[in-house]
Amino acid sequence: TLGDEPQYNSVDDVPPIRYVKGIGENFKLYTQAILSYSELNKMAETMMIGQQYEFGKKKIKITHLNIQAKGEKTKIKVSTTGSYKGDIFLEGIPTYDTSTKIFYLKDVEMSIKTKNILHKTVGWMLNGMLESKIEKNMAFELAEKLEESRQEIETSMNKTENGVTITSKIKSIDVESLQNITEHIIIDIVTKGN
């Protein structure tokens, strides 16, 4: 879990244990990881607060970020100083690329809510540039974390307890899907082994 530990509901009805003569050699284990928006804010602030972007003779500097869920999208409020002092709002879709093992925001779109014509002009000049910078800076490499998880799961599964020895080999672990909800992103993980 990244961030605050979520609340759990107790399970009252557990299915009965079933004894079988044998099981297949391969298995899949489905688990979930929680990425809280408070933790995502901390990670993003580390990478982006103080960043300065130039476009021609104009400059902006990021002074504050606030990231939260907005339906299936993630909303980012970026506070800036410099040529544009104010708040810029961006929205993107939380996405995981299985080939690169990178979590990122895709299709980031920007909006500036102001009546000031100068700010609208600055917003027009920022359009596209800031969106691509946010997409780039909001990308998190997960390969190392997934490998650590794979090793931990394999270690915990290979043991002898009460005279029963369990031996398994974890072949792969990967993100299957993401669910964006109010306070966090649920990461559905599938682990395959034998």
Side-chain angles (χ1 to χ4, degrees):
T1 299
L2 297 172
D4 300 329
E5 188 169 334
Q7 293 184 355
Y8 297 97
N9 297 328
S10 65
V11 177
D12 295 329
D13 296 328
V14 177
I17 294 177
R18 219 172 28 125
Y19 293 98
V20 294
K21 290 185 179 187
I23 58 172
E25 292 210 6
N26 297 317
F27 67 86
K28 289 182 182 178
L29 174 65
Y30 294 92
T31 56
Q32 291 183 328
I34 306 296
L35 175 58
S36 71
Y37 272 103
S38 62
E39 187 63 28
L40 189 56
N41 268 308
K42 289 176 193 172
M43 293 180 339
E45 283 176 352
T46 301
M47 293 188 301
M48 298 184 68
I49 297 294
Q51 290 288 323
Q52 191 165 291
Y53 300 106
E54 296 181 29
F55 49 99
K57 295 180 181 180
K58 307 283 185 188
K59 293 181 192 179
I60 64 163
K61 182 177 180 179
I62 295 179
T63 59
H64 185 261
L65 285 172
N66 183 15
I67 305 171
Q68 58 190 29
K70 182 180 179 187
E72 291 184 0
K73 293 186 176 186
T74 295
K75 179 180 171 182
I76 306 169
K77 177 183 173 185
V78 180
S79 299
T80 64
T81 59
S83 300
Y84 176 81
K85 183 178 179 181
D87 297 326
I88 301 168
F89 299 90
L90 299 121
E91 290 181 8
I93 301 167
T95 305
Y96 177 75
D97 185 325
T98 55
S99 62
T100 62
K101 303 212 181 303
I102 292 177
F103 167 79
Y104 66 100
L105 292 180
K106 124 178 142 172
D107 299 334
V108 175
E109 296 177 353
M110 179 179 76
S111 69
I112 297 176
K113 295 181 180 171
T114 182
K115 293 180 181 177
N116 184 319
I117 191 70
L118 178 61
H119 284 173
K120 284 186 180 181
T121 302
V122 171
W124 174 79
M125 292 190 308
L126 282 172
N127 197 16
M129 186 274 301
L130 189 59
E131 293 162 344
S132 65
K133 296 285 187 188
I134 294 288
E135 276 186 18
K136 181 181 171 190
N137 288 331
M138 288 292 294
F140 303 101
E141 170 72 47
L142 296 182
E144 188 176 310
K145 290 283 187 195
L146 289 170
E147 177 57 23
E148 286 174 14
S149 296
R150 187 198 67 74
Q151 290 174 6
E152 287 176 20
I153 292 169
E154 190 169 272
T155 300
S156 69
M157 290 182 78
N158 290 314
K159 62 183 174 182
T160 299
E161 197 169 302
N162 298 328
V164 177
T165 301
I166 298 174
T167 305
S168 63
K169 177 76 177 160
I170 303 299
K171 294 178 181 178
S172 67
I173 183 169
D174 212 349
V175 173
E176 189 169 79
S177 64
L178 301 171
Q179 300 171 51
N180 199 26
I181 59 176
T182 307
E183 294 178 8
H184 48 266
I185 297 172
I186 297 173
I187 304 169
D188 295 316
I189 299 171
V190 61
T191 304
K192 297 176 184 175
N194 60 12

